[in-house]
Short mmCIF file of all heavy atoms in Angstrom, two decimals:
data_model
loop_
_atom_site.label_atom_id
_atom_site.label_comp_id
_atom_site.label_asym_id
_atom_site.label_seq_id
_atom_site.Cartn_x
_atom_site.Cartn_y
_atom_site.Cartn_z
N ARG A 51 0.61 -10.23 -15.25
CA ARG A 51 -0.30 -11.27 -15.11
C ARG A 51 -0.13 -11.92 -13.64
O ARG A 51 -1.04 -12.13 -12.94
CB ARG A 51 -0.27 -12.31 -16.19
CG ARG A 51 -0.74 -11.82 -17.53
CD ARG A 51 -0.86 -12.87 -18.46
NE ARG A 51 0.44 -13.39 -19.00
CZ ARG A 51 1.14 -12.87 -20.03
NH1 ARG A 51 0.45 -11.83 -20.77
NH2 ARG A 51 2.29 -13.36 -20.40
N ASP A 52 1.18 -12.06 -13.31
CA ASP A 52 1.45 -12.73 -12.02
C ASP A 52 1.14 -11.75 -10.92
O ASP A 52 0.70 -12.31 -9.83
CB ASP A 52 3.01 -13.06 -12.04
CG ASP A 52 3.39 -14.17 -12.94
OD1 ASP A 52 2.43 -14.92 -13.48
OD2 ASP A 52 4.56 -14.25 -13.22
N MET A 53 1.35 -10.55 -11.07
CA MET A 53 0.97 -9.57 -10.02
C MET A 53 -0.43 -9.49 -9.67
O MET A 53 -0.89 -9.33 -8.63
CB MET A 53 1.50 -8.17 -10.43
CG MET A 53 3.11 -8.04 -10.34
SD MET A 53 3.69 -6.38 -10.91
CE MET A 53 2.98 -5.27 -9.77
N TYR A 54 -1.35 -9.56 -10.80
CA TYR A 54 -2.70 -9.58 -10.56
C TYR A 54 -3.22 -10.91 -9.90
O TYR A 54 -4.04 -10.90 -8.95
CB TYR A 54 -3.62 -9.49 -11.90
CG TYR A 54 -3.74 -8.07 -12.38
CD1 TYR A 54 -3.14 -7.61 -13.56
CD2 TYR A 54 -4.50 -7.20 -11.63
CE1 TYR A 54 -3.29 -6.24 -13.95
CE2 TYR A 54 -4.62 -5.83 -12.00
CZ TYR A 54 -4.08 -5.40 -13.17
OH TYR A 54 -4.19 -4.13 -13.64
N ASP A 55 -2.55 -12.05 -10.18
CA ASP A 55 -2.85 -13.21 -9.52
C ASP A 55 -2.42 -13.22 -8.01
O ASP A 55 -3.22 -13.59 -7.16
CB ASP A 55 -2.17 -14.38 -10.16
CG ASP A 55 -2.61 -14.84 -11.55
OD1 ASP A 55 -3.78 -14.42 -11.84
OD2 ASP A 55 -1.88 -15.48 -12.28
N THR A 56 -1.33 -12.59 -7.82
CA THR A 56 -0.88 -12.39 -6.45
C THR A 56 -1.68 -11.49 -5.64
O THR A 56 -2.02 -11.70 -4.50
CB THR A 56 0.65 -11.84 -6.49
OG1 THR A 56 1.40 -12.77 -7.23
CG2 THR A 56 1.21 -11.77 -5.08
N LEU A 57 -2.07 -10.34 -6.31
CA LEU A 57 -2.98 -9.40 -5.58
C LEU A 57 -4.28 -10.00 -5.26
O LEU A 57 -4.87 -9.78 -4.13
CB LEU A 57 -3.21 -8.21 -6.60
CG LEU A 57 -3.89 -6.98 -5.99
CD1 LEU A 57 -3.11 -6.34 -4.92
CD2 LEU A 57 -4.13 -6.01 -7.03
N GLU A 58 -4.84 -10.80 -6.08
CA GLU A 58 -6.14 -11.53 -5.72
C GLU A 58 -5.93 -12.45 -4.67
O GLU A 58 -6.87 -12.41 -3.73
CB GLU A 58 -6.58 -12.30 -7.05
CG GLU A 58 -7.86 -13.00 -6.75
CD GLU A 58 -8.40 -13.65 -8.00
OE1 GLU A 58 -7.79 -13.56 -9.07
OE2 GLU A 58 -9.47 -14.38 -7.84
N LYS A 59 -4.94 -13.22 -4.57
CA LYS A 59 -4.78 -14.20 -3.55
C LYS A 59 -4.47 -13.60 -2.16
O LYS A 59 -4.64 -14.15 -1.22
CB LYS A 59 -3.74 -15.19 -3.93
CG LYS A 59 -4.08 -16.07 -5.07
CD LYS A 59 -5.29 -16.92 -4.82
CE LYS A 59 -5.58 -17.83 -5.97
NZ LYS A 59 -6.79 -18.77 -5.70
N SER A 60 -3.92 -12.38 -2.18
CA SER A 60 -3.55 -11.73 -0.95
C SER A 60 -4.52 -10.67 -0.43
O SER A 60 -4.34 -10.11 0.50
CB SER A 60 -2.09 -11.02 -1.06
OG SER A 60 -2.11 -10.13 -2.14
N ASP A 61 -5.66 -10.55 -1.17
CA ASP A 61 -6.73 -9.64 -0.87
C ASP A 61 -6.29 -8.24 -0.77
O ASP A 61 -6.74 -7.44 0.11
CB ASP A 61 -7.34 -10.15 0.48
CG ASP A 61 -8.18 -11.42 0.37
OD1 ASP A 61 -8.73 -11.60 -0.73
OD2 ASP A 61 -8.12 -12.17 1.28
N GLY A 62 -5.40 -7.79 -1.57
CA GLY A 62 -4.87 -6.54 -1.65
C GLY A 62 -5.62 -5.60 -2.71
O GLY A 62 -6.40 -6.20 -3.48
N ILE A 63 -5.46 -4.31 -2.68
CA ILE A 63 -6.07 -3.41 -3.74
C ILE A 63 -5.02 -2.81 -4.66
O ILE A 63 -5.31 -2.27 -5.69
CB ILE A 63 -6.92 -2.31 -3.09
CG1 ILE A 63 -6.05 -1.46 -2.23
CG2 ILE A 63 -8.14 -3.04 -2.43
CD1 ILE A 63 -6.86 -0.26 -1.78
N GLY A 64 -3.73 -3.00 -4.20
CA GLY A 64 -2.59 -2.30 -5.07
C GLY A 64 -1.28 -3.20 -4.78
O GLY A 64 -1.06 -3.73 -3.68
N LEU A 65 -0.48 -3.27 -5.87
CA LEU A 65 0.76 -4.01 -5.74
C LEU A 65 1.77 -3.40 -6.63
O LEU A 65 1.45 -3.15 -7.90
CB LEU A 65 0.49 -5.48 -6.16
CG LEU A 65 1.75 -6.40 -5.78
CD1 LEU A 65 1.91 -6.50 -4.24
CD2 LEU A 65 1.40 -7.78 -6.42
N ALA A 66 2.96 -3.07 -6.10
CA ALA A 66 3.98 -2.56 -6.92
C ALA A 66 5.09 -3.68 -7.17
O ALA A 66 5.25 -4.57 -6.29
CB ALA A 66 4.63 -1.38 -6.21
N ALA A 67 5.71 -3.60 -8.39
CA ALA A 67 6.68 -4.65 -8.76
C ALA A 67 7.75 -4.91 -7.68
O ALA A 67 8.09 -6.04 -7.41
CB ALA A 67 7.26 -4.29 -10.07
N PRO A 68 8.36 -3.92 -6.96
CA PRO A 68 9.30 -4.31 -6.02
C PRO A 68 8.76 -5.07 -4.91
O PRO A 68 9.61 -5.85 -4.19
CB PRO A 68 9.75 -2.90 -5.55
CG PRO A 68 9.46 -1.89 -6.63
CD PRO A 68 8.26 -2.50 -7.31
N GLN A 69 7.52 -5.10 -4.64
CA GLN A 69 6.88 -5.91 -3.66
C GLN A 69 6.93 -7.41 -3.95
O GLN A 69 6.72 -8.34 -3.10
CB GLN A 69 5.49 -5.60 -3.33
CG GLN A 69 5.31 -4.11 -2.66
CD GLN A 69 3.89 -3.83 -2.35
OE1 GLN A 69 3.28 -3.22 -3.25
NE2 GLN A 69 3.43 -4.17 -1.15
N VAL A 70 7.23 -7.71 -5.26
CA VAL A 70 7.36 -9.13 -5.62
C VAL A 70 8.78 -9.33 -6.18
O VAL A 70 9.07 -10.32 -6.91
CB VAL A 70 6.32 -9.54 -6.65
CG1 VAL A 70 4.94 -9.61 -6.16
CG2 VAL A 70 6.36 -8.71 -7.93
N GLY A 71 9.71 -8.51 -5.65
CA GLY A 71 11.12 -8.68 -6.01
C GLY A 71 11.56 -8.11 -7.25
O GLY A 71 12.86 -8.41 -7.60
N GLN A 72 10.82 -7.36 -7.94
CA GLN A 72 11.29 -6.77 -9.25
C GLN A 72 11.36 -5.32 -9.21
O GLN A 72 10.42 -4.59 -9.03
CB GLN A 72 10.32 -7.17 -10.39
CG GLN A 72 10.08 -8.73 -10.50
CD GLN A 72 11.46 -9.43 -10.93
OE1 GLN A 72 12.18 -9.01 -11.87
NE2 GLN A 72 11.67 -10.51 -10.31
N SER A 73 12.60 -4.79 -9.42
CA SER A 73 12.86 -3.43 -9.27
C SER A 73 12.58 -2.65 -10.64
O SER A 73 13.38 -2.12 -11.17
CB SER A 73 14.28 -3.09 -8.75
OG SER A 73 14.35 -1.66 -8.55
N VAL A 74 11.31 -2.71 -11.01
CA VAL A 74 10.85 -2.01 -12.14
C VAL A 74 9.65 -1.17 -11.98
O VAL A 74 8.90 -1.48 -10.96
CB VAL A 74 10.53 -3.12 -13.33
CG1 VAL A 74 11.83 -3.81 -13.75
CG2 VAL A 74 9.47 -4.13 -12.88
N ARG A 75 9.31 -0.18 -12.79
CA ARG A 75 8.17 0.73 -12.51
C ARG A 75 6.96 0.13 -13.08
O ARG A 75 6.48 0.66 -14.14
CB ARG A 75 8.64 2.12 -13.09
CG ARG A 75 9.84 2.70 -12.36
CD ARG A 75 10.01 4.17 -12.73
NE ARG A 75 9.10 5.05 -11.86
CZ ARG A 75 9.38 5.44 -10.74
NH1 ARG A 75 10.53 5.13 -10.11
NH2 ARG A 75 8.54 6.14 -10.01
N VAL A 76 6.27 -0.65 -12.36
CA VAL A 76 5.06 -1.28 -12.69
C VAL A 76 4.15 -1.42 -11.45
O VAL A 76 4.75 -1.80 -10.40
CB VAL A 76 5.22 -2.69 -13.26
CG1 VAL A 76 3.91 -3.27 -13.65
CG2 VAL A 76 6.07 -2.69 -14.53
N VAL A 77 2.96 -0.97 -11.51
CA VAL A 77 2.04 -1.05 -10.40
C VAL A 77 0.60 -1.50 -11.04
O VAL A 77 0.24 -1.12 -12.11
CB VAL A 77 1.83 0.28 -9.87
CG1 VAL A 77 0.52 0.37 -8.98
CG2 VAL A 77 3.01 0.81 -9.06
N VAL A 78 -0.04 -2.40 -10.19
CA VAL A 78 -1.38 -2.78 -10.59
C VAL A 78 -2.28 -2.33 -9.43
O VAL A 78 -1.90 -2.47 -8.28
CB VAL A 78 -1.55 -4.27 -10.83
CG1 VAL A 78 -0.67 -4.76 -12.04
CG2 VAL A 78 -1.11 -5.11 -9.57
N ILE A 79 -3.52 -1.90 -9.86
CA ILE A 79 -4.39 -1.48 -8.69
C ILE A 79 -5.84 -2.03 -9.18
O ILE A 79 -6.18 -1.87 -10.24
CB ILE A 79 -4.47 0.12 -8.77
CG1 ILE A 79 -3.18 0.66 -8.19
CG2 ILE A 79 -5.65 0.64 -8.00
CD1 ILE A 79 -3.09 2.14 -8.18
N ASN A 80 -6.46 -2.63 -8.11
CA ASN A 80 -7.87 -3.10 -8.25
C ASN A 80 -8.77 -2.53 -7.17
O ASN A 80 -8.75 -3.01 -6.09
CB ASN A 80 -7.76 -4.49 -8.22
CG ASN A 80 -9.19 -5.26 -8.40
OD1 ASN A 80 -10.24 -4.39 -8.48
ND2 ASN A 80 -9.36 -6.57 -8.43
N LEU A 81 -9.48 -1.40 -7.68
CA LEU A 81 -10.33 -0.83 -6.65
C LEU A 81 -11.78 -1.33 -6.73
O LEU A 81 -12.67 -0.90 -5.93
CB LEU A 81 -10.38 0.74 -6.87
CG LEU A 81 -9.09 1.49 -6.53
CD1 LEU A 81 -9.20 2.95 -6.67
CD2 LEU A 81 -8.45 1.15 -5.25
N ASP A 82 -11.97 -2.27 -7.69
CA ASP A 82 -13.23 -2.81 -7.80
C ASP A 82 -13.72 -3.58 -6.50
O ASP A 82 -14.95 -3.77 -6.21
CB ASP A 82 -13.40 -3.84 -9.03
CG ASP A 82 -14.70 -4.42 -9.22
OD1 ASP A 82 -15.64 -3.64 -9.59
OD2 ASP A 82 -14.89 -5.65 -9.11
N LEU A 83 -12.79 -4.04 -5.74
CA LEU A 83 -12.98 -4.74 -4.55
C LEU A 83 -13.67 -3.80 -3.55
O LEU A 83 -14.30 -4.26 -2.53
CB LEU A 83 -11.66 -5.26 -4.03
CG LEU A 83 -10.92 -6.33 -4.77
CD1 LEU A 83 -9.57 -6.56 -4.22
CD2 LEU A 83 -11.85 -7.66 -4.95
N LEU A 84 -13.55 -2.49 -3.77
CA LEU A 84 -14.13 -1.51 -2.75
C LEU A 84 -15.38 -0.82 -3.25
O LEU A 84 -15.79 0.17 -2.77
CB LEU A 84 -13.05 -0.41 -2.51
CG LEU A 84 -11.75 -0.95 -1.92
CD1 LEU A 84 -10.75 0.30 -1.67
CD2 LEU A 84 -11.83 -1.76 -0.61
N LYS A 85 -16.04 -1.46 -4.22
CA LYS A 85 -17.19 -0.81 -4.87
C LYS A 85 -18.34 -0.53 -3.94
O LYS A 85 -19.11 0.34 -4.19
CB LYS A 85 -17.53 -1.61 -6.12
CG LYS A 85 -18.00 -2.95 -5.90
CD LYS A 85 -18.22 -3.78 -7.14
CE LYS A 85 -18.51 -5.18 -6.98
NZ LYS A 85 -18.67 -5.93 -8.21
N LYS A 86 -18.46 -1.26 -2.89
CA LYS A 86 -19.60 -1.05 -1.97
C LYS A 86 -19.40 0.30 -1.23
O LYS A 86 -20.33 1.04 -1.01
CB LYS A 86 -19.65 -2.21 -1.00
CG LYS A 86 -20.28 -3.55 -1.60
CD LYS A 86 -20.44 -4.50 -0.45
CE LYS A 86 -21.05 -5.81 -1.07
NZ LYS A 86 -21.25 -6.86 0.01
N ASP A 87 -18.16 0.59 -0.87
CA ASP A 87 -17.83 1.80 -0.23
C ASP A 87 -17.54 2.97 -1.11
O ASP A 87 -17.83 4.13 -0.90
CB ASP A 87 -16.70 1.66 0.72
CG ASP A 87 -16.99 0.71 1.95
OD1 ASP A 87 -18.11 0.71 2.32
OD2 ASP A 87 -16.05 -0.06 2.19
N TYR A 88 -16.96 2.60 -2.37
CA TYR A 88 -16.65 3.58 -3.40
C TYR A 88 -17.23 3.21 -4.65
O TYR A 88 -16.56 2.58 -5.58
CB TYR A 88 -15.10 3.80 -3.50
CG TYR A 88 -14.44 4.10 -2.23
CD1 TYR A 88 -13.92 3.23 -1.34
CD2 TYR A 88 -14.24 5.56 -1.96
CE1 TYR A 88 -13.27 3.63 -0.21
CE2 TYR A 88 -13.63 5.96 -0.75
CZ TYR A 88 -13.13 5.07 0.06
OH TYR A 88 -12.45 5.48 1.22
N PRO A 89 -18.54 3.29 -4.91
CA PRO A 89 -19.27 2.91 -6.15
C PRO A 89 -18.66 3.53 -7.42
O PRO A 89 -18.70 2.86 -8.48
CB PRO A 89 -20.68 3.30 -5.95
CG PRO A 89 -20.72 4.33 -4.85
CD PRO A 89 -19.53 3.97 -4.05
N GLU A 90 -18.05 4.57 -7.24
CA GLU A 90 -17.38 5.26 -8.42
C GLU A 90 -16.21 4.50 -9.03
O GLU A 90 -15.81 4.67 -10.11
CB GLU A 90 -16.95 6.70 -8.11
CG GLU A 90 -15.80 6.82 -7.17
CD GLU A 90 -16.32 6.88 -5.72
OE1 GLU A 90 -17.26 6.32 -5.30
OE2 GLU A 90 -15.59 7.57 -4.92
N TYR A 91 -15.72 3.48 -8.17
CA TYR A 91 -14.56 2.75 -8.57
C TYR A 91 -14.94 1.23 -9.07
O TYR A 91 -14.09 0.42 -9.21
CB TYR A 91 -13.42 2.65 -7.55
CG TYR A 91 -12.80 3.98 -7.30
CD1 TYR A 91 -12.81 4.51 -5.87
CD2 TYR A 91 -12.30 4.73 -8.28
CE1 TYR A 91 -12.24 5.68 -5.66
CE2 TYR A 91 -11.88 5.90 -7.96
CZ TYR A 91 -11.72 6.43 -6.75
OH TYR A 91 -11.15 7.60 -6.40
#
Side-chain angles (χ1 to χ4, degrees):
R51 291 189 287 270
D52 294 343
M53 287 174 66
Y54 276 115
D55 290 341
T56 303
L57 188 63
E58 180 180 356
K59 294 297 181 180
S60 58
D61 292 326
I63 60 171
L65 190 65
Q69 292 182 272
V70 291
Q72 302 298 315
S73 189
V74 293
R75 299 192 77 86
V76 178
V77 164
V78 298
I79 292 176
N80 181 355
L81 294 187
D82 184 64
L83 299 171
L84 304 179
K85 58 188 175 185
K86 287 186 178 180
D87 295 323
Y88 299 94
E90 65 270 30
Y91 294 128

